[in-house]
Amino acid sequence: MSPSLSTDDAVSHINATPRLHLRRKRIIVAMTGATGTILGIKLLIALRRLNVETHLVISKWAEQTLKYETDYHASNLRALADHVHSINDMAAPIASGSFRVDGMIVVPCSMKTLAAISTGLCDDLISRAADVMLKERRRLVLVARETPLSEIHLRNMLDVTRTGAVIFPPVPAFYIRPSSVDDLVDQSVGRMLDLFDLDTEDFERWNGWKKE
């Protein structure tokens, strides 16, 4: 049996032992031209508050929808992210499976982007990064915004679900008795981040019927 280490030897042994590098959680946020840009804005704000490193990709039409639906400009949106990548930059770190991320959320996700992801088209950075999530078996959440849904939409949703993605329609939860649109948005954002084991603590969870 080996003799016990002295205190000095033990300290030297600990100092010589390689330490694991603990990085911040890292999530890709992609925004397309579908309605619901406020969901992407609130998501980025929540992730910043939770100290999650964000990599943002915004489509051309997402920028237009953002201006139409909110008082935000693209510059305001980019300021909420840690890193911003051009949708045309196919050499960005997030285009490679060797770049470690904890997942990706496309919010809102247009039916065009859904179709591109479903077929593995990879014609821009959003669909390429999503393709990487699927092939690397990482979490991919698609916040699909469309109604009503055609058979084509449903088939594409089924196909990406079978490959590991999560389809997340931002369906309002009226049991929280919302007093504003913000309440509904916060609940949806909170439920999205539940899928990454992140708790925003910004919405009321269901705890059963309340007794009068």
Coordinates of all heavy atoms in Angstrom, one line a residue, residues 23-101:
R23 N -17.5 26.3 -18.8 CA -17.9 27.4 -19.6 C -19.4 27.8 -19.3 O -20.1 27.0 -18.8 CB -17.7 27.1 -21.1 CG -18.6 26.0 -21.6 CD -18.6 25.9 -23.1 NE -19.3 24.8 -23.7 CZ -20.6 24.8 -23.8 NH1 -21.3 25.8 -23.4 NH2 -21.2 23.7 -24.3
R24 N -19.8 29.0 -19.7 CA -21.2 29.3 -19.6 C -22.0 28.5 -20.6 O -21.5 28.0 -21.6 CB -21.3 30.8 -20.0 CG -20.7 31.8 -19.1 CD -20.6 33.2 -19.7 NE -21.8 33.8 -20.1 CZ -22.0 34.8 -20.9 NH1 -20.9 35.3 -21.6 NH2 -23.1 35.3 -21.2
K25 N -23.3 28.3 -20.2 CA -24.2 27.7 -21.1 C -24.2 28.5 -22.4 O -24.2 29.8 -22.3 CB -25.5 27.5 -20.5 CG -26.4 26.4 -21.1 CD -27.4 25.9 -20.1 CE -28.0 24.6 -20.6 NZ -28.9 23.9 -19.6
R26 N -24.4 27.9 -23.5 CA -24.3 28.6 -24.8 C -25.4 28.2 -25.7 O -25.6 27.0 -26.0 CB -22.9 28.3 -25.5 CG -22.6 29.0 -26.8 CD -21.3 28.5 -27.3 NE -20.2 29.0 -26.6 CZ -19.0 28.4 -26.6 NH1 -18.8 27.3 -27.3 NH2 -18.0 29.0 -26.0
I27 N -26.2 29.1 -26.2 CA -27.4 28.8 -27.0 C -27.4 29.7 -28.2 O -27.2 31.0 -28.1 CB -28.7 29.0 -26.2 CG1 -28.8 27.9 -25.1 CG2 -30.0 28.9 -27.1 CD1 -30.0 28.0 -24.2
I28 N -27.8 29.1 -29.4 CA -28.0 29.9 -30.6 C -29.4 30.3 -30.7 O -30.3 29.6 -30.4 CB -27.7 29.0 -31.8 CG1 -26.2 28.5 -31.8 CG2 -27.9 29.8 -33.1 CD1 -25.9 27.4 -32.8
V29 N -29.6 31.6 -31.0 CA -31.0 32.2 -31.2 C -31.1 32.7 -32.6 O -30.3 33.5 -33.1 CB -31.3 33.3 -30.2 CG1 -32.6 33.9 -30.5 CG2 -31.2 32.9 -28.8
A30 N -32.0 32.1 -33.4 CA -32.2 32.6 -34.8 C -33.6 33.1 -34.9 O -34.6 32.6 -34.3 CB -32.0 31.4 -35.7
M31 N -33.7 34.2 -35.6 CA -35.0 34.9 -35.8 C -35.3 35.0 -37.3 O -34.4 35.5 -38.1 CB -35.0 36.3 -35.2 CG -34.9 36.2 -33.7 SD -34.9 37.9 -32.9 CE -36.5 38.5 -33.3
T32 N -36.5 34.6 -37.7 CA -36.9 34.6 -39.1 C -38.0 35.7 -39.3 O -38.4 36.3 -38.3 CB -37.4 33.2 -39.6 OG1 -38.6 32.9 -39.0 CG2 -36.4 32.1 -39.3
G33 N -38.5 35.7 -40.5 CA -39.5 36.8 -40.8 C -40.9 36.6 -40.4 O -41.8 37.4 -40.7
A34 N -41.2 35.5 -39.7 CA -42.6 35.2 -39.3 C -43.0 36.2 -38.2 O -42.1 36.9 -37.6 CB -42.7 33.8 -38.7
T35 N -44.3 36.4 -38.0 CA -44.7 37.3 -36.9 C -44.4 36.7 -35.6 O -44.2 35.5 -35.4 CB -46.2 37.5 -37.0 OG1 -46.6 38.5 -36.1 CG2 -47.0 36.2 -36.8
G36 N -44.2 37.6 -34.6 CA -43.8 37.2 -33.2 C -42.4 37.5 -32.8 O -41.8 36.8 -32.0
T37 N -41.9 38.6 -33.4 CA -40.5 39.0 -33.0 C -40.3 39.3 -31.5 O -39.2 39.2 -31.0 CB -40.0 40.2 -33.9 OG1 -41.0 41.2 -33.8 CG2 -39.8 39.8 -35.3
I38 N -41.4 39.7 -30.9 CA -41.3 40.0 -29.5 C -40.9 38.8 -28.7 O -40.2 38.9 -27.6 CB -42.7 40.5 -28.9 CG1 -42.5 41.0 -27.5 CG2 -43.7 39.5 -29.0 CD1 -41.6 42.2 -27.3
L39 N -41.2 37.6 -29.2 CA -40.8 36.4 -28.5 C -39.2 36.2 -28.5 O -38.6 35.8 -27.5 CB -41.4 35.1 -29.2 CG -42.9 35.0 -29.0 CD1 -43.4 34.0 -30.1 CD2 -43.3 34.5 -27.6
G40 N -38.6 36.6 -29.7 CA -37.2 36.5 -29.8 C -36.5 37.6 -28.9 O -35.5 37.3 -28.3
I41 N -37.1 38.8 -28.8 CA -36.6 39.8 -28.0 C -36.6 39.4 -26.5 O -35.6 39.5 -25.8 CB -37.4 41.1 -28.2 CG1 -37.2 41.7 -29.6 CG2 -37.0 42.2 -27.1 CD1 -38.2 42.8 -29.9
K42 N -37.8 38.9 -26.1 CA -37.9 38.5 -24.7 C -37.0 37.4 -24.3 O -36.5 37.2 -23.2 CB -39.3 38.2 -24.3 CG -40.3 39.4 -24.2 CD -39.9 40.3 -23.0 CE -40.9 41.3 -22.6 NZ -42.0 40.7 -21.9
L43 N -36.8 36.5 -25.3 CA -35.9 35.3 -25.1 C -34.5 35.8 -24.9 O -33.8 35.3 -23.9 CB -36.0 34.4 -26.3 CG -35.1 33.1 -26.2 CD1 -35.7 32.1 -25.2 CD2 -34.9 32.5 -27.5
L44 N -34.0 36.7 -25.7 CA -32.6 37.2 -25.5 C -32.5 37.9 -24.2 O -31.4 37.8 -23.6 CB -32.3 38.2 -26.7 CG -32.0 37.5 -28.1 CD1 -32.0 38.5 -29.2 CD2 -30.7 36.7 -28.0
I45 N -33.5 38.7 -23.8 CA -33.4 39.4 -22.5 C -33.3 38.3 -21.4 O -32.5 38.5 -20.4 CB -34.6 40.3 -22.3 CG1 -34.5 41.5 -23.3 CG2 -34.7 40.8 -20.9 CD1 -35.8 42.3 -23.4
A46 N -34.1 37.3 -21.4 CA -34.1 36.3 -20.4 C -32.8 35.5 -20.3 O -32.3 35.3 -19.3 CB -35.3 35.3 -20.6
L47 N -32.2 35.2 -21.5 CA -30.9 34.5 -21.5 C -29.8 35.4 -21.0 O -28.9 34.8 -20.3 CB -30.6 34.0 -23.0 CG -31.5 32.9 -23.5 CD1 -31.3 32.7 -25.0 CD2 -31.3 31.6 -22.7
R48 N -29.9 36.6 -21.3 CA -28.8 37.6 -20.7 C -28.9 37.6 -19.2 O -27.9 37.6 -18.5 CB -29.0 39.0 -21.3 CG -28.1 40.0 -20.7 CD -28.2 41.3 -21.5 NE -27.5 41.2 -22.8 CZ -26.2 41.5 -23.0 NH1 -25.4 41.8 -21.9 NH2 -25.7 41.4 -24.2
R49 N -30.2 37.6 -18.7 CA -30.4 37.7 -17.2 C -29.9 36.4 -16.6 O -29.4 36.4 -15.5 CB -31.8 37.9 -16.9 CG -32.1 38.3 -15.5 CD -33.5 38.7 -15.2 NE -34.4 37.6 -15.3 CZ -35.3 37.4 -16.2 NH1 -35.5 38.3 -17.2 NH2 -36.1 36.4 -16.2
L50 N -30.0 35.3 -17.3 CA -29.6 34.0 -16.8 C -28.1 33.7 -17.1 O -27.6 32.6 -16.8 CB -30.4 32.9 -17.5 CG -31.9 32.8 -17.1 CD1 -32.7 31.9 -18.0 CD2 -32.1 32.4 -15.6
N51 N -27.4 34.6 -17.6 CA -26.0 34.5 -17.9 C -25.6 33.4 -18.9 O -24.7 32.7 -18.7 CB -25.2 34.3 -16.6 CG -23.7 34.6 -16.8 OD1 -23.3 35.4 -17.6 ND2 -22.8 33.8 -16.1
V52 N -26.5 33.3 -19.9 CA -26.3 32.3 -20.9 C -25.6 33.0 -22.1 O -26.1 34.1 -22.6 CB -27.6 31.6 -21.4 CG1 -27.4 30.7 -22.6 CG2 -28.2 30.9 -20.2
E53 N -24.6 32.5 -22.7 CA -23.9 33.1 -23.8 C -24.8 32.8 -25.1 O -25.2 31.7 -25.4 CB -22.6 32.4 -24.1 CG -21.8 32.9 -25.3 CD -20.5 32.2 -25.5 OE1 -19.8 31.9 -24.5 OE2 -20.1 32.0 -26.7
T54 N -25.1 33.9 -25.8 CA -26.0 33.8 -26.9 C -25.3 34.1 -28.3 O -24.5 35.0 -28.3 CB -27.2 34.7 -26.8 OG1 -26.7 36.1 -26.5 CG2 -28.1 34.3 -25.7
H55 N -25.7 33.4 -29.3 CA -25.2 33.6 -30.6 C -26.4 33.8 -31.5 O -27.2 32.9 -31.7 CB -24.4 32.3 -31.1 CG -23.1 32.2 -30.5 ND1 -21.9 32.4 -31.1 CD2 -22.8 31.8 -29.2 CE1 -20.9 32.2 -30.3 NE2 -21.4 31.8 -29.1
L56 N -26.5 35.0 -32.0 CA -27.7 35.5 -32.7 C -27.5 35.5 -34.2 O -26.5 36.0 -34.7 CB -28.1 36.9 -32.2 CG -29.3 37.6 -32.9 CD1 -30.6 36.8 -32.6 CD2 -29.4 39.0 -32.4
V57 N -28.6 35.0 -34.9 CA -28.6 35.1 -36.4 C -30.0 35.7 -36.7 O -31.0 35.2 -36.3 CB -28.4 33.8 -37.1 CG1 -28.3 34.0 -38.6 CG2 -27.2 33.0 -36.5
I58 N -30.0 36.8 -37.5 CA -31.3 37.4 -37.9 C -31.4 37.4 -39.4 O -30.5 37.8 -40.1 CB -31.3 38.9 -37.4 CG1 -30.8 39.0 -36.0 CG2 -32.7 39.4 -37.5 CD1 -30.6 40.5 -35.6
S59 N -32.6 37.0 -39.9 CA -32.8 37.0 -41.4 C -33.2 38.4 -41.8 O -33.5 39.3 -41.0 CB -33.9 36.0 -41.8 OG -35.2 36.6 -41.4
K60 N -33.1 38.7 -43.1 CA -33.4 40.0 -43.6 C -34.9 40.3 -43.3 O -35.2 41.5 -42.9 CB -33.2 40.0 -45.2 CG -33.7 41.3 -45.8 CD -33.5 41.2 -47.4 CE -34.6 40.3 -47.9 NZ -34.7 40.3 -49.4
W61 N -35.8 39.4 -43.5 CA -37.2 39.6 -43.2 C -37.5 39.7 -41.7 O -38.5 40.4 -41.3 CB -38.0 38.6 -43.9 CG -38.1 38.8 -45.4 CD1 -37.4 38.1 -46.4 CD2 -38.7 39.9 -46.1 NE1 -37.6 38.6 -47.6 CE2 -38.4 39.8 -47.5 CE3 -39.4 41.0 -45.6 CZ2 -38.8 40.7 -48.4 CZ3 -39.9 42.0 -46.6 CH2 -39.6 41.8 -48.0
A62 N -36.7 39.1 -40.9 CA -36.9 39.3 -39.4 C -36.6 40.7 -39.1 O -37.3 41.3 -38.2 CB -35.9 38.4 -38.7
E63 N -35.6 41.4 -39.7 CA -35.4 42.8 -39.4 C -36.6 43.6 -39.8 O -36.9 44.6 -39.1 CB -34.1 43.2 -40.1 CG -32.8 42.6 -39.6 CD -31.6 43.2 -40.2 OE1 -31.7 44.4 -40.7 OE2 -30.5 42.6 -40.2
Q64 N -37.2 43.3 -40.9 CA -38.3 44.1 -41.4 C -39.5 43.9 -40.5 O -40.2 44.8 -40.1 CB -38.7 43.7 -42.8 CG -37.6 44.0 -43.9 CD -37.2 45.4 -43.9 OE1 -38.0 46.3 -43.9 NE2 -35.9 45.7 -43.9
T65 N -39.8 42.6 -40.1 CA -40.9 42.3 -39.2 C -40.7 43.0 -37.8 O -41.6 43.5 -37.2 CB -41.1 40.8 -39.0 OG1 -41.2 40.2 -40.3 CG2 -42.3 40.5 -38.2
L66 N -39.4 43.0 -37.4 CA -39.1 43.6 -36.1 C -39.5 45.1 -36.1 O -40.1 45.6 -35.1 CB -37.6 43.5 -35.9 CG -37.0 44.2 -34.6 CD1 -37.4 43.3 -33.4 CD2 -35.5 44.3 -34.7
K67 N -39.2 45.8 -37.2 CA -39.5 47.2 -37.2 C -41.0 47.5 -37.3 O -41.6 48.4 -36.8 CB -38.8 47.9 -38.4 CG -37.3 48.0 -38.3 CD -36.7 48.8 -39.4 CE -36.7 48.1 -40.7 NZ -36.0 48.9 -41.8
Y68 N -41.7 46.5 -38.0 CA -43.2 46.7 -38.1 C -43.9 46.4 -36.8 O -44.9 47.0 -36.5 CB -43.6 45.7 -39.2 CG -45.1 45.9 -39.6 CD1 -45.4 46.9 -40.5 CD2 -46.1 45.1 -39.1 CE1 -46.8 47.1 -40.9 CE2 -47.4 45.3 -39.5 CZ -47.7 46.3 -40.4 OH -49.1 46.5 -40.7
E69 N -43.5 45.4 -36.1 CA -44.2 44.9 -34.9 C -43.8 45.5 -33.6 O -44.5 45.5 -32.6 CB -44.0 43.4 -34.8 CG -44.7 42.6 -35.9 CD -44.5 41.1 -35.6 OE1 -43.7 40.7 -34.8 OE2 -45.3 40.3 -36.3
T70 N -42.6 46.1 -33.5 CA -42.1 46.6 -32.3 C -41.4 48.0 -32.5 O -41.3 48.5 -33.6 CB -41.0 45.7 -31.6 OG1 -39.8 45.8 -32.3 CG2 -41.5 44.2 -31.7
D71 N -41.0 48.6 -31.4 CA -40.2 49.8 -31.4 C -38.7 49.5 -31.5 O -37.9 50.5 -31.4 CB -40.5 50.7 -30.2 CG -42.0 51.2 -30.2 OD1 -42.5 51.4 -31.3 OD2 -42.6 51.3 -29.1
Y72 N -38.3 48.3 -31.5 CA -36.9 47.9 -31.6 C -36.4 48.1 -33.0 O -37.1 47.9 -34.0 CB -36.7 46.4 -31.2 CG -36.6 46.2 -29.7 CD1 -37.8 46.3 -28.9 CD2 -35.4 45.9 -29.1 CE1 -37.7 46.1 -27.5 CE2 -35.3 45.7 -27.7 CZ -36.5 45.8 -27.0 OH -36.4 45.5 -25.6
H73 N -35.1 48.3 -33.1 CA -34.4 48.3 -34.4 C -33.4 47.1 -34.3 O -33.1 46.6 -33.2 CB -33.6 49.6 -34.6 CG -34.6 50.8 -34.9 ND1 -35.2 51.0 -36.1 CD2 -35.0 51.8 -34.0 CE1 -36.0 52.1 -36.0 NE2 -35.9 52.5 -34.7
A74 N -32.9 46.7 -35.4 CA -32.0 45.6 -35.5 C -30.7 45.8 -34.6 O -30.2 44.9 -34.0 CB -31.5 45.3 -36.9
S75 N -30.3 47.1 -34.5 CA -29.1 47.4 -33.6 C -29.4 47.1 -32.2 O -28.6 46.6 -31.4 CB -28.7 48.8 -33.8 OG -29.8 49.7 -33.5
N76 N -30.7 47.4 -31.7 CA -31.1 47.2 -30.4 C -31.1 45.7 -30.1 O -30.7 45.2 -29.0 CB -32.5 47.7 -30.1 CG -32.7 49.2 -30.4 OD1 -33.6 49.6 -31.1 ND2 -31.7 50.0 -29.9
L77 N -31.6 44.9 -31.1 CA -31.6 43.5 -30.9 C -30.2 42.9 -30.9 O -30.0 42.0 -30.0 CB -32.4 42.9 -32.1 CG -32.8 41.4 -32.1 CD1 -33.8 41.2 -30.9 CD2 -33.4 41.0 -33.4
R78 N -29.4 43.3 -31.7 CA -28.0 42.8 -31.7 C -27.3 43.1 -30.4 O -26.5 42.3 -30.0 CB -27.2 43.3 -32.9 CG -27.7 42.9 -34.3 CD -26.8 43.3 -35.4 NE -27.2 42.8 -36.7 CZ -28.0 43.5 -37.5 NH1 -28.4 44.8 -37.2 NH2 -28.4 43.0 -38.7
A79 N -27.6 44.2 -29.8 CA -27.0 44.6 -28.5 C -27.3 43.6 -27.4 O -26.6 43.6 -26.4 CB -27.3 46.0 -28.2
L80 N -28.4 42.9 -27.5 CA -28.9 41.9 -26.5 C -28.1 40.6 -26.5 O -28.1 39.8 -25.6 CB -30.4 41.6 -26.7 CG -31.3 42.8 -26.4 CD1 -32.7 42.3 -26.8 CD2 -31.2 43.3 -25.0
A81 N -27.4 40.4 -27.6 CA -26.7 39.1 -27.8 C -25.2 39.2 -27.5 O -24.6 40.3 -27.7 CB -26.9 38.6 -29.2
D82 N -24.5 38.1 -27.1 CA -23.1 38.2 -26.9 C -22.3 38.1 -28.3 O -21.3 38.8 -28.4 CB -22.7 36.9 -26.1 CG -23.2 37.0 -24.7 OD1 -22.7 37.8 -23.9 OD2 -24.1 36.2 -24.3
H83 N -22.9 37.4 -29.2 CA -22.2 37.3 -30.5 C -23.3 37.3 -31.6 O -24.4 36.8 -31.4 CB -21.5 36.0 -30.7 CG -20.5 35.8 -29.6 ND1 -19.2 36.3 -29.7 CD2 -20.5 35.1 -28.4 CE1 -18.5 35.9 -28.6 NE2 -19.3 35.2 -27.8
V84 N -23.1 38.0 -32.7 CA -24.0 38.1 -33.8 C -23.3 37.7 -35.1 O -22.2 38.1 -35.4 CB -24.5 39.6 -34.0 CG1 -25.5 39.7 -35.1 CG2 -25.1 40.1 -32.7
H85 N -24.0 36.8 -35.8 CA -23.5 36.3 -37.1 C -24.3 36.6 -38.2 O -25.6 36.6 -38.1 CB -23.3 34.7 -37.0 CG -22.6 34.3 -35.8 ND1 -21.2 34.3 -35.7 CD2 -23.0 33.7 -34.6 CE1 -20.8 33.8 -34.5 NE2 -21.9 33.5 -33.8
S86 N -23.7 37.0 -39.4 CA -24.5 37.2 -40.6 C -25.1 35.9 -41.1 O -24.5 34.8 -41.0 CB -23.5 37.8 -41.7 OG -24.2 37.7 -42.9
I87 N -26.3 36.0 -41.6 CA -27.0 34.8 -42.1 C -26.3 34.2 -43.3 O -26.5 33.0 -43.6 CB -28.5 35.2 -42.4 CG1 -29.3 33.9 -42.6 CG2 -28.6 36.1 -43.6 CD1 -30.8 34.2 -42.7
N88 N -25.5 35.0 -43.9 CA -24.7 34.5 -45.1 C -23.3 34.0 -44.7 O -22.6 33.5 -45.6 CB -24.6 35.6 -46.1 CG -26.0 36.1 -46.6 OD1 -26.8 35.3 -47.0 ND2 -26.2 37.4 -46.7
D89 N -23.0 34.1 -43.5 CA -21.6 33.6 -43.1 C -21.6 32.1 -42.8 O -21.7 31.7 -41.7 CB -21.2 34.4 -41.8 CG -19.7 34.1 -41.4 OD1 -19.1 33.4 -42.2 OD2 -19.3 34.6 -40.4
M90 N -21.4 31.4 -43.8 CA -21.3 29.9 -43.7 C -20.1 29.4 -43.0 O -19.9 28.2 -42.8 CB -21.6 29.2 -45.0 CG -22.9 29.6 -45.7 SD -24.3 29.2 -44.7 CE -24.5 27.4 -45.1
A91 N -19.1 30.3 -42.7 CA -17.9 30.0 -42.1 C -17.9 30.3 -40.6 O -16.9 30.2 -39.9 CB -16.7 30.6 -42.7
A92 N -19.1 30.8 -40.1 CA -19.2 31.1 -38.7 C -19.0 29.9 -37.8 O -19.2 28.8 -38.2 CB -20.6 31.7 -38.4
P93 N -18.6 30.1 -36.6 CA -18.3 29.0 -35.7 C -19.5 28.0 -35.5 O -19.4 26.8 -35.5 CB -18.0 29.7 -34.3 CG -17.5 31.0 -34.7 CD -18.2 31.4 -35.9
I94 N -20.7 28.6 -35.5 CA -21.9 27.8 -35.2 C -22.3 27.0 -36.4 O -23.2 26.1 -36.4 CB -23.1 28.7 -34.8 CG1 -23.5 29.7 -35.9 CG2 -22.9 29.4 -33.5 CD1 -24.8 30.5 -35.6
A95 N -21.6 27.1 -37.5 CA -21.9 26.3 -38.7 C -21.1 24.9 -38.6 O -21.3 24.1 -39.5 CB -21.4 27.0 -40.0
S96 N -20.4 24.7 -37.6 CA -19.6 23.5 -37.4 C -20.0 22.7 -36.2 O -20.3 23.3 -35.1 CB -18.1 23.8 -37.3 OG -17.3 22.7 -36.9
G97 N -20.1 21.4 -36.3 CA -20.4 20.6 -35.1 C -19.3 20.6 -34.1 O -19.6 20.2 -32.9
S98 N -18.1 21.0 -34.4 CA -17.0 21.0 -33.5 C -17.1 22.2 -32.5 O -16.4 22.2 -31.5 CB -15.7 21.0 -34.2 OG -15.5 22.3 -34.9
F99 N -18.0 23.1 -32.8 CA -18.2 24.3 -31.9 C -19.3 23.9 -30.9 O -20.4 23.5 -31.3 CB -18.7 25.5 -32.7 CG -18.8 26.7 -31.9 CD1 -17.7 27.4 -31.4 CD2 -20.1 27.3 -31.6 CE1 -17.8 28.6 -30.7 CE2 -20.2 28.4 -30.8 CZ -19.1 29.1 -30.4
R100 N -18.9 23.8 -29.6 CA -19.8 23.3 -28.6 C -20.9 24.3 -28.2 O -20.6 25.4 -27.8 CB -19.0 22.9 -27.4 CG -18.0 21.8 -27.6 CD -18.6 20.5 -28.0 NE -19.6 20.1 -27.0 CZ -19.3 19.4 -25.9 NH1 -18.0 19.1 -25.7 NH2 -20.2 19.0 -25.0
V101 N -22.1 23.9 -28.4 CA -23.3 24.7 -27.9 C -24.2 23.8 -27.3 O -24.2 22.6 -27.4 CB -24.0 25.5 -29.1 CG1 -23.1 26.5 -29.8 CG2 -24.5 24.5 -30.1

